[in-house]
Amino acid sequence: MEKGDALLIVDVQNDFCPGGALAVLKGDEVVPVLNNWIQEASDRGVPVYASRDWHPPRHISFRERGGPWPPHCVQGTSGAAFHPELKLPREAQIISKAHKPDEDSYSAFGGTDLAERLRSAGVKRVWIGGLTQDYCVRETSLDALREGFEVHVIVEGTRAVNVDPKDGHRALEDVRAAGAVLEE
Ligand SMILES: [Zn+2]
């Protein structure tokens, strides 16, 4: 990582980790990996951004409203908090997404000012890791490419929510085909 880069940590929240409302198998294993990247970013003066799913109660993505998911990442709950061992720097910028009752976004760019924030910070290249490989990391990476950023996905720092490993692989192939670099 160097000047012009940013580190983007996607949705490393309790509800996506073991014990959470929408737990990802071994989701917490991304935490030490990403902590190393955070440390390196801090050492090199690279800005860190952390997105979070930030839903109101009765969000449109919840099953009670016909959505695909159990209630998760409800604003202000412990499930919506970042994993307690994730060592975000004090100056990390938090990106809250899907915070309106009737709008969902898997991508950290959807309905947020992330693209403007990155551009105004002079960012050209983003390093992306977090949860989940097959939804939010996938969509965030594709949007970052559409917004004109160079994208590197930190594969060791992601896990898929779907237990069929093909889904995670397919998601990674999609982002590679769209122009991202996979850091294996
Ligand atoms: Zn959600």
Side-chain angles (χ1 to χ4, degrees):
M1 284 185 286
E2 56 189 30
K3 191 170 153 41
D5 286 357
L7 178 62
L8 175 52
I9 310 283
V10 175
D11 298 11
V12 181
Q13 294 167 271
N14 288 325
D15 270 345
F16 296 127
C17 292
L22 186 38
V24 175
L25 188 67
K26 300 181 179 174
D28 54 336
E29 288 184 0
V30 305
V31 172
V33 175
L34 295 175
N35 280 340
N36 286 338
W37 283 83
I38 290 168
Q39 182 64 53
E40 193 186 329
S42 298
D43 291 347
R44 292 168 185 248
V46 165
V48 178
Y49 298 77
S51 71
R52 61 182 182 183
D53 234 4
W54 197 242
H55 301 321
R58 291 191 50 75
H59 184 249
I60 192 167
S61 73
F62 298 168
R63 282 181 191 140
E64 65 198 76
R65 292 195 53 200
W69 307 114
H72 63 278
C73 298
V74 174
Q75 294 168 9
T77 64
S78 60
F82 292 116
H83 189 283
E85 283 161 40
L86 185 69
K87 296 194 181 89
L88 287 176
R90 230 190 331 248
E91 62 275 18
Q93 297 196 41
I94 309 301
I95 310 293
S96 299
K97 65 183 172 68
H99 59 282
K100 294 180 184 165
D102 298 330
E103 290 173 22
D104 196 19
S105 177
Y106 294 138
S107 166
F109 290 90
T112 72
D113 62 353
L114 176 56
E116 293 84 63
R117 286 205 217 186
L118 291 171
R119 272 194 273 274
S120 64
V123 171
K124 303 268 187 285
R125 181 166 69 168
V126 286
W127 300 78
I128 299 176
L131 302 171
T132 66
Q133 209 170 67
D134 38 355
Y135 289 93
C136 294
V137 169
R138 176 184 189 277
E139 296 303 319
T140 298
S141 300
L142 293 174
D143 269 355
L145 290 163
R146 285 183 202 113
E147 292 285 351
F149 299 102
E150 187 183 329
V151 173
H152 290 243
V153 177
I154 304 165
V155 174
E156 240 341 269
T158 68
R159 291 291 183 282
V161 66
N162 290 347
V163 286
D164 183 345
K166 286 203 290 286
D167 287 343
H169 293 153
R170 201 177 298 125
L172 291 174
E173 277 314 311
D174 289 347
V175 297
R176 194 212 305 265
V181 176
L182 303 184
E183 296 292 327
E184 309 271 4

